[in-house]
Amino acid sequence: MNSLVLCFLSFALIGLLFGSAWIALRRHRYCRELKYDPRQDFVLGVAPQSVEAISIVCDSTGFILPKLSANAVTVFLELRLKHTAMGLVFDPSVEISWETFCDKQFFERGVRGMRFLNLTRLIRAGAKAGARVILRGLRVTWLPAGRTSLHVCHESVRPDDRVLVVSPHPDDAELGAFGLYADTQASVVTITAGDASDRYTDEDRGVRLTRAQIGRMRVLDSIIVPQIGGVPRENVLNLAYPDGRLSEMRASPAVDFNKGDKDVLDFAGLRQLNVSSLLRVGAECTWHSLVSDLAHILKLTQPTIIVLPDPWLDPHADHTATTAAVCEALRETNQQGGRFFLTCVHNRWSELIPLGPAGSGVPLPPRREGEFPEMDGFYSHALSPERLTEKYLALEAMHDVRDLSAFPPQSARYLAKKLREIAGASIHGMGVPPTSLLRRAVRPDEVFWTMSVSAAVKSATSF
């Protein structure tokens, strides 16, 4: 009997050691992907006068929806979340349901702070004042049960709005704003040829392309794919500036970056792939020429909404430079009216954001007190199931986004790398790869912060 007890205790101790090691590795790998403390509070990041705050009572199972104004468009529920013990190891989530509507939104492991759940699609689904909205936390609770707020913004997209999406690279427009541009009168402009992609330069992947081949392929992607969303080819163009060099161009605005390059890109040839009359003739590969291109497009399209990378939240150098170039072009054309819709493909706090699997809802992304200028508002664009399918197809059509894991032939080294990734995913639980664009972008919500053109142009010196 004593030997049986000793054997049982030995197995239990071994199991405990392995379990503890697995949890420690899982936590360590996850925390490496977060550049912030999940116990911090998030803020709305907008001027108080821009948002209507409605006090409600929320208990452990949900709340009664109050009467909202007729022009309420985007609604976020403020909740102070607290992870459970399992929520340190597995992804916490909150399920939102009403009648046949159901949505699940995911949060950080170890979350303990203020967060904002997106209720916009719930309102679009027809939930009215007096409806009981059911909340169910998985590995998370909210506290204290009692008074909290709904934050309502009236920013909207009108039928007569003219939308201009300015994308740093082929696929950025689809990642951040496919649903918006597909549902509106839109023009889509891509700044770079996308030629610096490293997906097709690794011999282990089984396919190698030259920089020129990559540039041509991705320029064509950026021209053709928006047509999946119904954008006429006349309204789509790629300006073919060199990928990864916009910040250098901004620093030396008169230098031609297509001269003296050891691997010269066919700048003029790539631009000739466009069929749109929005393209300016006589461009050079300089920053001044880029600004002139954008000024030409602004004069022709007269946009009321310009979709751009958020220069404060998205740290990618090309993304920041894209927004700066548009601001310079706006100054050149003296355009004061309109709004910026700011999107974020590469969130400075974590490339995991938005959290959770593809298809799940998108809460308000992290913004912290005093870090960025106050925005004028926020807008969440809801995608229908049909539009969400189209977005997935559009992203799969983009050569720099699609899954290449099945592309033959593959070297033994590449297959070994994939096996390591799969083994790692069994520990960290974040998928393969953890920062998959298809996981992050194929969502029923596209969330934007909004800012007036005049305010954004004034703030351009800060980024």
Side-chain angles (χ1 to χ4, degrees):
M1 178 64 72
N2 288 340
S3 61
L4 284 174
V5 171
L6 186 61
C7 183
F8 173 79
L9 290 174
S10 298
F11 277 113
L13 180 59
I14 291 170
L16 181 62
L17 289 173
F18 272 105
S20 299
W22 179 79
I23 290 172
L25 284 171
R26 187 178 177 92
R27 285 286 299 157
H28 174 72
R29 180 68 177 83
Y30 185 82
C31 290
R32 279 173 50 192
E33 295 290 340
L34 289 182
K35 299 174 185 175
Y36 64 96
D37 187 341
R39 295 170 297 181
Q40 293 177 315
D41 287 339
F42 292 174
V43 297
L44 285 173
V46 301
Q49 64 271 19
S50 304
V51 175
E52 178 186 4
I54 302 174
S55 179
I56 63 169
V57 175
C58 183
D59 60 29
S60 60
T61 63
F63 63 94
I64 301 297
L65 190 67
K67 182 175 177 57
L68 302 178
S69 59
N71 59 346
V73 175
T74 301
V75 182
F76 284 99
L77 168 65
E78 176 183 309
L79 281 183
R80 183 169 292 280
L81 299 181
K82 181 180 183 299
H83 67 87
T84 64
M86 294 294 284
L88 272 171
V89 183
F90 299 96
D91 297 335
S93 64
V94 177
E95 185 180 271
I96 305 162
S97 60
W98 166 76
E99 294 188 355
T100 60
F101 176 87
C102 186
D103 184 32
K104 186 178 284 189
Q105 298 177 24
F106 287 79
F107 300 90
E108 309 91 330
R109 297 174 194 173
V111 61
R112 190 184 178 113
M114 197 67 75
R115 300 294 184 270
F116 300 90
L117 281 69
N118 195 339
L119 304 185
T120 304
R121 279 184 294 112
L122 171 73
I123 305 305
R124 301 277 179 89
K128 304 293 184 185
R132 176 72 181 177
V133 179
I134 305 300
L135 301 179
R136 186 172 73 88
L138 181 64
R139 310 183 191 105
V140 70
T141 61
W142 42 93
L143 54 107
R147 288 270 165 202
T148 187
S149 295
L150 293 181
H151 298 278
V152 182
C153 189
H154 307 298
E155 287 275 8
S156 65
V157 178
R158 301 180 297 271
D160 61 343
D161 271 319
R162 296 178 301 279
V163 176
L164 174 63
V165 181
V166 185
S167 171
H169 307 103
D171 67 34
D172 285 323
E174 287 66 37
L175 290 166
F178 177 86
L180 178 64
Y181 79 57
D183 290 335
T184 58
Q185 302 176 50
S187 299
V188 180
V189 176
T190 303
I191 301 296
T192 73
D195 51 285
S197 169
D198 61 357
R199 294 195 92 205
Y200 297 92
T201 58
D202 184 353
E203 61 184 9
D204 291 337
R205 290 185 184 272
V207 56
R208 293 194 72 182
L209 300 177
T210 65
R211 178 186 171 196
Q213 288 174 314
I214 293 169
R216 183 178 178 85
M217 175 180 71
R218 296 194 71 197
V219 167
L220 288 170
D221 282 350
S222 68
I223 294 170
I224 295 168
V225 167
Q227 295 173 73
I228 295 175
V231 181
R233 194 167 180 179
E234 166 64 24
N235 292 1
V236 183
L237 73 160
N238 186 302
L239 300 178
Y241 288 92
D243 183 3
R245 308 199 67 184
L246 294 185
S247 57
E248 294 177 64
M249 292 174 65
R250 185 184 182 190
S252 304
V255 173
D256 189 330
F257 277 74
N258 210 39
K259 291 180 179 177
D261 194 327
K262 64 179 180 180
D263 188 13
V264 175
L265 197 66
D266 185 5
F267 178 67
L270 291 176
R271 287 171 72 95
Q272 288 174 4
L273 296 174
N274 294 288
V275 299
S276 175
S277 61
L278 295 174
L279 190 68
R280 186 176 65 93
V281 177
E284 297 178 329
C285 194
T286 68
W287 179 262
H288 287 324
S289 183
L290 168 57
V291 172
S292 295
D293 276 341
L294 291 169
H296 177 75
I297 293 164
L298 289 167
K299 289 174 184 176
L300 291 176
T301 58
Q302 293 293 303
T304 56
I305 293 174
I306 305 175
V307 181
L308 287 164
D310 185 327
W312 297 283
L313 199 56
D314 188 333
H316 192 295
D318 277 354
H319 291 213
T320 303
T322 293
T323 303
V326 171
C327 288
E328 285 192 33
L330 287 164
R331 278 196 294 268
E332 189 173 299
T333 59
N334 198 31
Q335 182 175 332
Q336 300 294 318
R339 295 169 289 167
F340 277 7
F341 275 33
L342 299 174
T343 185
C344 183
V345 172
H346 303 285
N347 194 294
R348 70 167 58 250
W349 302 123
S350 177
E351 288 276 2
L352 295 175
I353 296 169
L355 302 166
S360 57
V362 180
L364 195 69
R367 235 180 172 95
R368 300 187 297 188
E369 189 72 45
E371 288 180 328
F372 310 109
E374 281 189 336
M375 299 290 112
D376 291 337
F378 44 73
Y379 172 73
S380 181
H381 190 79
L383 279 68
S384 67
E386 296 76 19
R387 193 65 84 200
L388 187 60
T389 299
E390 289 177 357
K391 180 168 185 172
Y392 170 74
L393 294 174
L395 289 170
E396 267 290 334
M398 286 288 182
H399 286 82
D400 212 50
V401 176
R402 67 173 50 164
D403 183 10
L404 297 177
S405 60
F407 195 100
Q410 294 163 341
S411 68
R413 187 169 63 178
Y414 179 73
L415 292 174
K417 178 183 175 183
K418 293 301 292 184
L419 286 174
R420 288 196 302 272
E421 288 178 350
I422 293 169
S426 69
I427 296 175
H428 59 64
M430 293 182 289
V432 180
T435 58
S436 164
L437 291 170
L438 287 173
R439 176 193 67 77
R440 291 190 284 143
V442 183
R443 305 295 182 111
D445 311 294
E446 292 174 348
V447 179
F448 307 88
W449 271 280
T450 66
M451 196 176 202
S452 71
V453 163
S454 57
V457 170
K458 289 177 183 176
S459 301
T461 54
S462 66
F463 54 83

